[in-house]
Amino acid sequence: MGFKKGFIWGAATAAFQIEGAALEDGKGPSVWDVFSHEPGKVLEGHNGDVACDHYHRFREDVALMAQMGIRSYRFSLSWPRIMPEGTGRVNEKGVAFYNALIDELLAHGIRPFVTLFHWDYPEALHLRGGWMNPDSAEWFRAYTEVCAGAFGDRVKDWITLNEPQCFIGLGYQMGLHAPGLKMVVPDIVKAVHHTLKAHGLAVKTLRELVPGCKVGYAPCGGPFVPQTNSPEDIEAARRVYFATTKENLAFSVALWSDPALLGSYPEDFLRLFGKHLPSGWQEDLSTIHQPLDYYCQNIYYGAVVRAADNAQGFELIAPEVGHPKTALNWGILPDVLYWGPRYLYERYRTPFVISENGLSCHDVISLDGKVHDPNRQDYTHRYLLALRRAAEDGIDVAGYFHWSLMDNFEWAHGYNERFGLIYVDYATQQRIIKDSAWWYKTVMESNGENL
Ligand code: NOJ
């Protein structure tokens, strides 16, 4: 017994990170177009103007996916490519691009999983207050309606928002991501609420307009792993994983998931921050709380804790000297793909999908012209073993998307980080399928039996 029959195996990307064609064919600017052109915001001044030029090379990329045995492909739509001002006018050329991409995927037998929003917010709406504006939920609903109408005849798998923790936490609170704001807590709390409402309205809209659709939601968070299997450690890790505190507000797992999956804000959040919620928030909870077919999470790293006799009730265990890390300095901790799904499934009882997992390495083209990336294979192997253990222990694990299909624009880190199963030479736009991708093909083909 391992992964269930029909397990979803795939790879993922996001529009801004791969498409390029930043202002082509009528696309409007996104906050990331503006932010990445601001000196000092992105490593070495990299931007998304060309990226992987996927906008022009999508047919080649889909052919590579087919060669690599990718059966499901998670990608995002660029809101300002479809609606340059964010609301109102629809850019038919943008719609035509996604129609052609979707048709190409289907012609190759690849199932499209569409993320509606992966951070490239329309600049025009940002200038109207972005997620701070109470109308932002309705703007997102209207955009969802356009996407459902344009693509819903062929796309049946949808994800509403990707990592709200990051576009609010890193983008609105810490200023590290677009639009580069450093807002105060009362304003952050309002933005959180509007974002959650946007999610709920999008789910409702998809259900109304796309018969037979399946809908998910993809927040993130580093799971806490108990140091031992003692009930005390397991409970301590669960408590800290789902806590909302003054320190983790915008990054809290429970804050972004309880309202959507359980229909209520976490008690600790309400106690600390509830007074900042916009008026009428209680009535919005039924809109925010929509049944979901998949509860997705992007999981890469985490931390180990044990129960302790101190005020907090737990103690963080520091990684030992020399603990393995990725190129981004993220500690490698495969058990997060066991404990994360387990804690999340026990709390939310919704089929669980890893919507992103993978690592960045500083890959190179070897003298033989190939890209050998044993560390990516080893990482993925270890993480998938942990995920399979979760499935074997009764967690309803429904899918796994590797991040990423191809090397791409890693936000504030620019092109320095390579997360792809496909190597991209940005100077020539040549693609090379990495060794790990050929290995991943055998994993998908055996439904994880060969791990
Ligand atoms: C999270 C994001 O969703 C994705 O855009 C990013 O590139 C990867 N994780 C790696 O950081």
Side-chain angles (χ1 to χ4, degrees), residues 74-80 82-83 85-88 90 114-122 124-126 128-149 151 158-164 167-168 172 191-209 215-218 256 260 287-288 290 292:
R74 174 181 176 226
F75 62 99
S76 77
L77 306 174
S78 159
W79 184 348
I82 292 174
M83 300 173 85
E85 290 85 29
T87 55
V90 172
V114 166
T115 306
L116 283 163
F117 179 64
H118 196 129
W119 305 359
D120 45 353
Y121 198 77
L125 293 184
H126 165 60
R128 294 165 68 185
W131 295 111
M132 296 295 307
N133 190 319
D135 291 340
S136 56
E138 168 51 27
W139 298 337
F140 190 65
R141 190 211 57 77
Y143 159 63
T144 304
E145 186 178 321
V146 170
C147 298
F151 315 120
W158 297 80
I159 292 171
T160 55
L161 305 172
N162 180 74
E163 295 195 357
F167 64 81
I168 299 297
Y172 275 48
V192 167
H193 186 77
H194 300 149
T195 306
L196 285 166
K197 192 170 168 190
H199 157 79
L201 286 172
V203 181
K204 273 179 89 167
T205 305
L206 288 166
R207 298 239 187 262
E208 280 157 24
L209 300 179
V215 188
Y217 166 50
W256 287 107
T287 302
I288 293 169
Q290 297 295 320
L292 290 174

XYZ file of all heavy atoms in Angstrom, residues 74-80 82-83 85-88 90 114-122 124-126 128-149 151 158-164 167-168 172 191-209 215-218 256 260 287-288 290 292:
721
model
N 0.439 22.365 -12.820
C -0.133 23.491 -12.082
C 0.539 24.773 -12.556
O 1.770 24.882 -12.487
C 0.099 23.291 -10.574
C -0.329 24.471 -9.767
C -0.108 24.333 -8.272
N -0.485 25.605 -7.690
C 0.209 26.283 -6.790
N 1.319 25.775 -6.280
N -0.207 27.456 -6.374
N -0.258 25.700 -13.067
C 0.290 26.991 -13.503
C -0.695 28.068 -13.094
O -1.839 27.777 -12.741
C 0.528 27.014 -15.021
C -0.726 26.840 -15.844
C -1.377 27.941 -16.402
C -1.268 25.580 -16.063
C -2.544 27.783 -17.155
C -2.433 25.416 -16.819
C -3.066 26.514 -17.362
N -0.250 29.326 -13.136
C -1.175 30.384 -12.727
C -1.499 31.287 -13.902
O -0.759 31.346 -14.895
C -0.597 31.200 -11.575
O 0.391 32.097 -12.030
N -2.614 31.965 -13.778
C -3.032 32.956 -14.765
C -2.556 34.320 -14.288
O -2.638 34.627 -13.098
C -4.571 32.977 -14.874
C -5.249 31.635 -15.162
C -6.768 31.793 -15.082
C -4.850 31.108 -16.535
N -2.114 35.124 -15.227
C -1.733 36.483 -14.871
C -2.992 37.348 -14.956
O -3.537 37.561 -16.046
C -0.671 36.984 -15.849
O -0.651 38.385 -15.843
N -3.422 37.813 -13.808
C -4.648 38.648 -13.743
C -4.521 39.850 -14.697
O -5.418 40.076 -15.534
C -4.866 39.025 -12.289
C -6.077 39.795 -11.907
C -6.974 40.445 -12.717
C -6.544 40.001 -10.562
N -7.949 41.047 -11.972
C -7.718 40.790 -10.639
C -6.092 39.609 -9.308
C -8.433 41.188 -9.507
C -6.808 40.005 -8.178
C -7.963 40.789 -8.284
N -3.392 40.626 -14.626
C -3.328 41.789 -15.529
C -3.106 41.442 -17.006
O -3.247 42.322 -17.852
C -2.159 42.610 -14.987
C -1.347 41.655 -14.210
C -2.264 40.600 -13.687
N -5.003 39.155 -18.337
C -6.397 38.898 -18.726
C -7.239 40.158 -18.572
O -8.095 40.457 -19.409
C -6.942 37.722 -17.877
C -6.206 36.442 -18.289
C -8.453 37.559 -18.037
C -6.519 35.227 -17.457
N -6.981 40.913 -17.504
C -7.700 42.169 -17.277
C -6.663 43.248 -16.939
O -6.242 43.370 -15.779
C -8.716 41.991 -16.145
C -9.746 40.913 -16.473
S -10.834 40.526 -15.101
C -12.081 41.784 -15.282
N -6.547 46.350 -16.410
C -6.801 47.304 -15.312
C -7.301 46.571 -14.064
O -7.687 47.213 -13.086
C -7.835 48.359 -15.727
C -7.332 49.360 -16.768
C -7.486 48.842 -18.200
O -8.411 48.035 -18.452
O -6.671 49.221 -19.066
N -7.353 45.253 -14.138
C -7.789 44.471 -12.975
C -9.289 44.267 -12.909
O -9.773 43.258 -12.422
N -10.042 45.239 -13.400
C -11.502 45.104 -13.460
C -11.954 45.559 -14.855
O -11.223 46.235 -15.569
C -12.226 46.008 -12.441
O -11.789 47.354 -12.663
C -11.941 45.617 -11.009
N -13.173 45.226 -15.174
C -13.770 45.737 -16.425
C -13.245 45.052 -17.666
O -13.453 43.852 -17.867
N -11.639 43.159 -20.699
C -10.910 41.894 -20.832
C -9.983 41.988 -22.041
O -10.380 42.465 -23.102
C -11.911 40.718 -21.005
C -11.175 39.424 -21.331
C -12.757 40.548 -19.744
N -5.248 25.069 -12.552
C -5.061 26.514 -12.716
C -5.139 27.243 -11.375
O -6.130 27.133 -10.653
C -6.125 27.074 -13.689
C -6.175 28.585 -13.613
C -5.787 26.639 -15.117
N -4.087 27.981 -11.066
C -4.111 28.865 -9.896
C -4.565 30.238 -10.371
O -3.977 30.802 -11.304
C -2.695 28.992 -9.284
O -2.200 27.686 -9.010
C -2.742 29.801 -7.987
N -5.585 30.773 -9.753
C -6.104 32.071 -10.200
C -5.156 33.214 -9.858
O -5.021 34.166 -10.625
C -7.463 32.331 -9.533
C -8.633 31.557 -10.127
C -9.818 31.569 -9.157
C -9.051 32.147 -11.470
N -4.532 33.129 -8.698
C -3.688 34.252 -8.294
C -2.407 33.783 -7.616
O -2.441 33.160 -6.556
C -4.445 35.195 -7.353
C -3.600 36.351 -6.903
C -3.135 37.283 -7.817
C -3.223 36.490 -5.578
C -2.309 38.335 -7.415
C -2.403 37.543 -5.155
C -1.953 38.468 -6.096
N -1.288 34.081 -8.256
C 0.027 33.731 -7.699
C 0.880 35.005 -7.704
O 1.878 35.115 -8.419
C 0.654 32.606 -8.529
C 1.800 31.889 -7.870
N 1.863 30.519 -7.757
C 2.927 32.358 -7.299
C 2.999 30.180 -7.147
N 3.667 31.274 -6.869
N 0.387 36.034 -6.993
C 1.164 37.203 -6.577
C 1.278 38.372 -7.558
O 1.665 39.468 -7.148
C 2.576 36.815 -6.147
C 2.652 35.773 -5.083
C 1.617 35.142 -4.434
C 3.847 35.227 -4.513
N 2.090 34.243 -3.517
C 3.462 34.271 -3.547
C 5.192 35.457 -4.736
C 4.382 33.545 -2.796
C 6.117 34.725 -3.986
C 5.710 33.786 -3.027
N 1.001 38.173 -8.854
C 1.200 39.282 -9.806
C -0.077 40.129 -9.885
O -0.783 40.148 -10.880
C 1.645 38.771 -11.186
C 0.836 37.571 -11.675
O 0.014 37.035 -10.885
O 1.028 37.162 -12.826
N -0.315 40.859 -8.816
C -1.535 41.664 -8.659
C -1.535 42.833 -9.648
O -0.492 43.481 -9.853
C -1.544 42.202 -7.223
C -2.890 42.686 -6.737
C -3.867 41.782 -6.353
C -3.163 44.048 -6.657
C -5.097 42.220 -5.884
C -4.391 44.492 -6.195
C -5.351 43.573 -5.809
O -6.566 44.010 -5.352
N -2.676 43.145 -10.245
C -2.703 44.272 -11.192
C -2.292 45.584 -10.505
O -2.873 45.962 -9.480
C -4.170 44.331 -11.636
C -4.729 42.982 -11.320
C -3.983 42.475 -10.128
N -2.907 48.499 -11.396
C -4.017 49.464 -11.392
C -4.878 49.290 -10.132
O -5.362 50.289 -9.556
C -4.875 49.271 -12.643
N -5.045 48.048 -9.688
C -5.852 47.830 -8.474
C -5.032 48.123 -7.218
O -5.579 48.559 -6.198
C -6.386 46.397 -8.433
C -7.404 46.046 -9.517
C -7.932 44.627 -9.304
C -8.563 47.048 -9.525
N -3.741 47.894 -7.325
C -2.880 48.263 -6.183
C -3.020 49.762 -5.921
O -3.096 50.192 -4.755
C -1.432 47.901 -6.493
C -0.451 48.539 -5.564
N -0.477 48.324 -4.200
C 0.557 49.424 -5.785
C 0.474 49.037 -3.626
N 1.099 49.723 -4.561
N -5.490 51.450 -6.237
C -6.790 51.706 -5.590
C -6.847 51.064 -4.196
O -7.921 50.889 -3.633
C -7.922 51.175 -6.482
C -8.029 51.964 -7.801
C -8.863 51.247 -8.837
N -10.270 51.176 -8.480
C -11.194 50.499 -9.186
N -10.841 49.865 -10.304
N -12.441 50.474 -8.800
N -5.673 50.691 -3.683
C -5.634 50.155 -2.315
C -5.380 48.667 -2.230
O -5.203 48.124 -1.146
N -5.423 47.976 -3.357
C -5.147 46.535 -3.356
C -6.013 45.783 -2.360
O -7.203 46.066 -2.202
N -5.386 44.827 -1.656
C -6.147 43.997 -0.701
C -6.622 44.790 0.512
O -7.404 44.295 1.326
C -5.286 42.812 -0.238
C -4.960 41.858 -1.340
C -3.735 41.646 -1.899
C -5.866 40.973 -2.032
N -3.817 40.693 -2.889
C -5.098 40.257 -2.991
C -7.235 40.708 -1.938
C -5.666 39.305 -3.850
C -7.800 39.758 -2.781
C -7.019 39.077 -3.719
N -6.174 46.033 0.643
C -6.668 46.892 1.723
C -8.075 47.393 1.435
O -8.811 47.777 2.332
C -5.773 48.132 1.854
C -4.355 47.855 2.259
S -4.317 47.181 3.893
C -5.259 48.426 4.724
N -8.409 47.439 0.159
C -9.700 47.997 -0.234
C -10.809 46.960 0.009
O -10.696 45.818 -0.469
C -9.637 48.370 -1.722
C -10.847 49.177 -2.160
O -11.974 48.892 -1.765
N -10.595 50.186 -2.982
N -11.875 47.331 0.708
C -12.952 46.360 0.956
C -13.552 45.810 -0.343
O -14.118 44.721 -0.364
C -14.007 47.167 1.722
C -13.279 48.361 2.244
C -12.105 48.626 1.340
N -13.401 46.547 -1.443
C -13.926 46.052 -2.726
C -13.039 44.985 -3.358
O -13.394 44.401 -4.382
C -14.044 47.206 -3.741
C -15.130 48.185 -3.360
O -16.024 47.796 -2.569
O -15.079 49.342 -3.830
N -11.854 44.743 -2.761
C -10.903 43.838 -3.426
C -11.471 42.424 -3.575
O -11.146 41.726 -4.540
C -9.570 43.812 -2.682
O -9.757 43.457 -1.328
N -12.297 42.007 -2.644
C -12.878 40.664 -2.746
C -13.785 40.587 -3.977
O -13.765 39.610 -4.731
C -13.647 40.324 -1.476
N -14.557 41.634 -4.183
C -15.451 41.664 -5.342
C -14.650 41.761 -6.646
O -14.991 41.128 -7.651
C -16.426 42.849 -5.196
C -17.237 43.205 -6.432
C -17.991 42.048 -7.098
O -18.347 41.073 -6.400
O -18.200 42.119 -8.335
N -13.531 42.495 -6.649
C -12.683 42.544 -7.858
C -12.206 41.136 -8.211
O -12.178 40.755 -9.374
C -11.442 43.425 -7.636
C -11.716 44.861 -7.337
C -12.853 45.563 -7.659
C -10.851 45.780 -6.652
N -12.731 46.857 -7.217
C -11.514 47.016 -6.607
C -9.579 45.674 -6.081
C -10.949 48.146 -6.001
C -9.008 46.782 -5.491
C -9.693 48.012 -5.450
N -11.819 40.399 -7.177
C -11.303 39.045 -7.434
C -12.432 38.128 -7.914
O -12.228 37.275 -8.782
C -10.647 38.482 -6.168
C -9.877 37.207 -6.405
C -8.748 37.198 -7.205
C -10.287 36.007 -5.832
C -8.033 36.014 -7.436
C -9.582 34.828 -6.051
C -8.450 34.838 -6.856
N -13.623 38.328 -7.359
C -14.769 37.521 -7.814
C -15.029 37.756 -9.299
O -15.240 36.823 -10.079
C -16.019 37.857 -6.991
C -17.187 36.913 -7.208
C -18.544 37.586 -7.046
N -18.712 38.725 -7.938
C -18.982 38.642 -9.241
N -19.118 37.459 -9.822
N -19.101 39.738 -9.981
N -14.987 39.042 -9.691
C -15.290 39.374 -11.089
C -14.217 38.802 -12.029
O -14.526 38.311 -13.120
C -15.380 40.893 -11.241
N -12.983 38.847 -11.578
C -11.885 38.256 -12.371
C -12.083 36.734 -12.476
O -11.929 36.135 -13.550
C -10.554 38.609 -11.692
C -9.377 37.734 -12.029
C -8.876 37.656 -13.332
C -8.724 36.983 -11.032
C -7.773 36.850 -13.632
C -7.632 36.186 -11.324
C -7.163 36.119 -12.624
O -6.077 35.320 -12.916
N -12.474 36.109 -11.376
C -12.725 34.659 -11.392
C -13.841 34.325 -12.387
O -13.764 33.328 -13.116
C -13.116 34.169 -9.977
O -12.078 34.538 -9.064
C -13.312 32.671 -9.939
N -14.844 35.179 -12.417
C -15.969 34.941 -13.341
C -15.469 34.934 -14.792
O -15.860 34.079 -15.591
C -17.014 36.044 -13.127
C -18.281 35.839 -13.916
C -19.298 36.955 -13.616
O -19.411 37.374 -12.451
O -19.941 37.403 -14.579
N -14.590 35.875 -15.106
C -14.048 35.931 -16.473
C -13.256 34.647 -16.764
O -13.416 34.022 -17.821
C -13.138 37.177 -16.641
C -12.364 37.128 -17.948
C -13.975 38.453 -16.554
N -12.431 34.221 -15.826
C -11.597 33.020 -16.045
C -12.468 31.771 -16.157
O -12.220 30.912 -17.017
C -10.604 32.842 -14.897
S -9.460 34.225 -14.756
N -13.459 31.675 -15.289
C -14.343 30.498 -15.329
C -15.055 30.440 -16.677
O -15.175 29.373 -17.296
C -15.348 30.567 -14.186
N -15.502 31.592 -17.154
C -16.213 31.640 -18.435
C -15.294 31.314 -19.602
O -15.683 30.635 -20.554
N -12.271 29.590 -19.535
C -11.488 28.339 -19.522
C -12.223 27.153 -18.887
O -11.744 26.023 -18.953
C -10.157 28.552 -18.773
C -9.452 29.833 -19.168
C -9.176 30.827 -18.220
C -9.083 30.054 -20.483
C -8.534 32.013 -18.586
C -8.445 31.240 -20.863
C -8.171 32.228 -19.909
N -9.058 23.793 -10.102
C -8.740 25.195 -9.827
C -8.173 25.360 -8.424
O -8.584 24.651 -7.499
C -10.013 26.047 -9.944
C -10.609 26.055 -11.314
C -11.402 25.077 -11.877
C -10.470 27.071 -12.318
N -11.752 25.438 -13.160
C -11.202 26.653 -13.449
C -9.795 28.299 -12.351
C -11.276 27.421 -14.621
C -9.873 29.068 -13.513
C -10.609 28.631 -14.636
N -7.275 26.306 -8.303
C -6.765 26.713 -6.993
C -6.960 28.225 -6.911
O -6.613 28.938 -7.863
C -5.275 26.330 -6.841
C -5.133 24.795 -6.788
C -4.671 26.952 -5.582
C -3.714 24.291 -6.861
N -7.526 28.696 -5.822
C -7.854 30.125 -5.752
C -6.596 30.979 -5.547
O -6.182 31.704 -6.451
C -8.845 30.398 -4.604
O -8.282 29.880 -3.384
C -10.200 29.749 -4.881
N -5.986 30.892 -4.370
C -4.875 31.786 -4.028
C -3.637 30.980 -3.689
O -3.736 29.931 -3.041
C -5.233 32.625 -2.793
C -6.511 33.448 -2.859
C -6.807 34.042 -1.481
C -6.382 34.564 -3.897
N -2.500 31.477 -4.084
C -1.229 30.856 -3.695
C -0.557 31.654 -2.575
O -0.311 32.861 -2.726
C -0.274 30.816 -4.889
C 1.045 30.170 -4.509
O 1.112 28.949 -4.340
N 2.086 30.970 -4.333
N -0.270 30.972 -1.503
C 0.499 31.526 -0.384
C 0.112 32.954 -0.002
O 0.913 33.890 -0.142
C 2.008 31.473 -0.691
C 2.547 30.067 -0.812
C 4.067 29.974 -0.761
O 4.729 31.021 -0.694
O 4.585 28.856 -0.772
N -1.104 33.131 0.502
C -1.477 34.471 0.967
C -0.524 34.949 2.060
O -0.295 36.151 2.209
C -2.901 34.290 1.499
C -3.070 32.822 1.706
C -2.183 32.156 0.708
N 2.076 36.931 -0.020
C 1.774 38.216 -0.660
C 1.266 39.247 0.338
O 1.442 40.453 0.111
C 0.909 38.100 -1.925
C -0.488 37.564 -1.773
C -1.516 38.389 -1.341
C -0.791 36.258 -2.125
C -2.814 37.911 -1.251
C -2.083 35.759 -2.031
C -3.096 36.585 -1.588
N 0.737 38.804 1.472
C 0.413 39.773 2.528
C 1.611 39.931 3.479
O 2.055 41.044 3.738
C -0.863 39.356 3.298
C -2.077 39.298 2.350
C -1.117 40.321 4.465
C -2.474 40.600 1.697
N 3.013 43.035 2.124
C 2.327 44.165 2.775
C 2.911 44.512 4.141
O 2.740 45.610 4.627
C 0.836 43.833 2.967
C -0.036 44.125 1.769
C 0.332 43.714 0.498
C -1.236 44.826 1.902
C -0.457 43.971 -0.601
C -2.044 45.093 0.801
C -1.647 44.658 -0.441
O -2.436 44.919 -1.529
N -6.527 43.504 5.525
C -6.136 42.900 4.240
C -6.330 41.377 4.278
O -6.765 40.777 3.297
C -4.681 43.248 3.918
N -6.021 40.780 5.421
C -6.213 39.328 5.574
C -7.689 38.990 5.359
O -8.042 38.077 4.599
C -5.754 38.856 6.974
C -6.228 37.434 7.263
C -4.232 38.949 7.117
N -8.546 39.750 6.008
C -9.973 39.446 5.911
C -10.480 39.589 4.472
O -11.213 38.734 3.973
C -10.770 40.347 6.859
C -12.227 39.994 6.908
N -12.694 38.908 7.615
C -13.306 40.548 6.291
C -14.000 38.807 7.456
N -14.398 39.799 6.653
N -10.070 40.646 3.809
C -10.529 40.851 2.420
C -10.021 39.729 1.514
O -10.731 39.277 0.611
C -10.027 42.203 1.885
C -10.504 43.369 2.693
N -9.773 44.521 2.841
C -11.643 43.568 3.407
C -10.431 45.375 3.607
N -11.563 44.815 3.964
N -8.791 39.293 1.783
C -8.212 38.222 0.961
C -8.987 36.922 1.165
O -9.292 36.200 0.205
C -6.721 38.032 1.339
O -6.067 39.293 1.241
C -6.045 37.048 0.430
N -9.303 36.621 2.422
C -10.079 35.409 2.700
C -11.455 35.473 2.043
O -11.958 34.482 1.510
C -10.217 35.216 4.218
C -8.958 34.702 4.935
C -9.096 34.873 6.447
C -8.713 33.228 4.590
N -12.036 36.658 2.071
C -13.353 36.803 1.447
C -13.252 36.606 -0.073
O -14.126 36.001 -0.704
C -13.910 38.198 1.778
C -15.364 38.353 1.428
C -15.920 39.641 1.995
C -17.286 39.953 1.417
N -17.738 41.297 1.780
N -12.160 37.095 -0.641
C -11.944 36.909 -2.083
C -11.876 35.424 -2.410
O -12.465 34.955 -3.390
C -10.638 37.599 -2.503
N -11.172 34.677 -1.559
C -11.088 33.221 -1.759
C -12.494 32.603 -1.767
O -12.844 31.853 -2.677
C -10.228 32.593 -0.656
C -10.512 31.147 -0.435
N -10.017 30.155 -1.239
C -11.311 30.521 0.492
C -10.471 28.982 -0.834
N -11.249 29.176 0.217
N -13.269 32.938 -0.765
C -14.613 32.344 -0.650
C -15.477 32.687 -1.857
O -16.177 31.819 -2.416
N -15.441 33.935 -2.268
C -16.255 34.347 -3.423
C -15.798 33.631 -4.691
O -16.617 33.261 -5.544
C -16.167 35.867 -3.628
C -16.935 36.717 -2.612
C -16.609 38.196 -2.797
C -18.445 36.488 -2.726
N -14.485 33.414 -4.808
C -13.969 32.723 -5.999
C -14.456 31.274 -6.018
O -14.866 30.765 -7.071
C -12.444 32.778 -6.014
N -14.428 30.614 -4.863
C -14.893 29.216 -4.827
C -16.363 29.161 -5.251
O -16.762 28.338 -6.090
C -14.723 28.591 -3.417
C -15.195 27.136 -3.423
C -13.293 28.688 -2.934
N -17.159 30.067 -4.688
C -18.599 30.087 -5.028
C -18.793 30.289 -6.528
O -19.611 29.634 -7.171
C -19.289 31.263 -4.302
C -19.755 30.916 -2.907
C -20.402 32.110 -2.251
C -21.896 32.146 -2.574
N -22.618 33.101 -1.734
N -18.050 31.227 -7.076
C -18.187 31.558 -8.492
C -17.806 30.371 -9.368
O -18.502 30.058 -10.347
C -17.289 32.779 -8.818
O -17.662 33.825 -7.923
C -17.443 33.243 -10.237
N -16.717 29.712 -9.020
C -16.294 28.544 -9.812
C -17.365 27.466 -9.767
O -17.716 26.860 -10.780
C -14.963 28.000 -9.276
C -13.738 28.874 -9.579
C -12.538 28.456 -8.727
C -13.371 28.807 -11.065
N -17.930 27.238 -8.580
C -18.950 26.191 -8.468
C -20.187 26.533 -9.303
O -20.811 25.657 -9.887
C -19.366 25.997 -7.009
C -18.239 25.549 -6.125
C -18.527 24.223 -5.452
N -17.477 23.926 -4.485
C -16.438 23.132 -4.732
N -16.314 22.526 -5.890
N -15.530 22.908 -3.808
N -20.510 27.825 -9.341
C -21.683 28.229 -10.121
C -21.448 28.097 -11.625
O -22.334 27.726 -12.370
C -22.021 29.703 -9.825
C -22.798 29.912 -8.524
C -22.643 31.328 -7.977
O -22.352 32.264 -8.759
O -22.803 31.484 -6.753
N -20.216 28.398 -12.054
C -19.977 28.527 -13.500
C -19.258 27.347 -14.152
O -19.271 27.234 -15.373
C -19.178 29.811 -13.778
C -19.850 31.115 -13.343
C -18.961 32.307 -13.652
C -21.205 31.273 -14.033
N -12.070 22.336 -6.566
C -11.431 23.590 -6.163
C -10.562 23.382 -4.921
O -10.962 22.695 -3.975
C -12.491 24.682 -5.875
C -11.808 26.032 -5.662
C -13.504 24.786 -7.010
N -9.390 23.993 -4.962
C -8.476 23.953 -3.826
C -7.989 25.347 -3.473
O -8.349 26.344 -4.114
N -7.165 25.395 -2.468
C -6.650 26.644 -1.926
C -5.248 26.316 -1.447
O -5.034 25.242 -0.890
C -7.581 27.042 -0.770
C -7.126 28.118 0.192
C -6.645 29.327 -0.259
C -7.236 27.920 1.572
C -6.271 30.320 0.646
C -6.869 28.901 2.473
C -6.384 30.098 2.011
O -6.015 31.075 2.907
N -4.248 27.192 -1.717
C -2.856 26.810 -1.449
C -2.096 27.788 -0.555
O -1.241 28.533 -1.019
C -2.102 26.623 -2.766
N -4.923 31.600 8.185
C -5.278 31.553 6.768
C -6.113 30.333 6.413
O -6.624 30.250 5.283
C -4.014 31.582 5.913
C -3.357 32.930 5.877
C -2.196 33.303 6.495
C -3.831 34.099 5.183
N -1.916 34.623 6.216
C -2.902 35.137 5.414
C -4.955 34.369 4.383
C -3.045 36.420 4.888
C -5.098 35.648 3.852
C -4.161 36.658 4.102
N -11.372 29.503 6.221
C -11.757 28.887 4.948
C -12.240 27.457 5.127
O -13.168 27.011 4.462
C -10.566 28.922 3.982
N -19.381 33.203 3.760
C -18.859 33.325 2.383
C -17.454 32.733 2.308
O -17.101 32.035 1.357
C -18.792 34.822 1.978
O -20.091 35.364 2.096
C -18.274 34.997 0.566
N -16.658 33.019 3.330
C -15.265 32.543 3.341
C -15.215 31.019 3.447
O -14.371 30.364 2.841
C -14.503 33.186 4.530
C -14.368 34.700 4.314
C -13.148 32.538 4.741
C -13.868 35.483 5.523
N -16.175 27.824 2.393
C -16.770 27.085 1.280
C -16.182 25.679 1.260
O -14.993 25.518 1.483
C -16.431 27.767 -0.056
C -16.985 29.163 -0.209
C -18.500 29.171 -0.242
O -19.124 28.299 -0.842
N -19.092 30.146 0.421
N -14.252 22.612 0.114
C -13.135 22.501 -0.839
C -12.909 21.028 -1.192
O -13.121 20.144 -0.372
C -11.856 23.069 -0.222
C -11.811 24.586 -0.033
C -10.554 24.995 0.720
C -11.873 25.295 -1.390
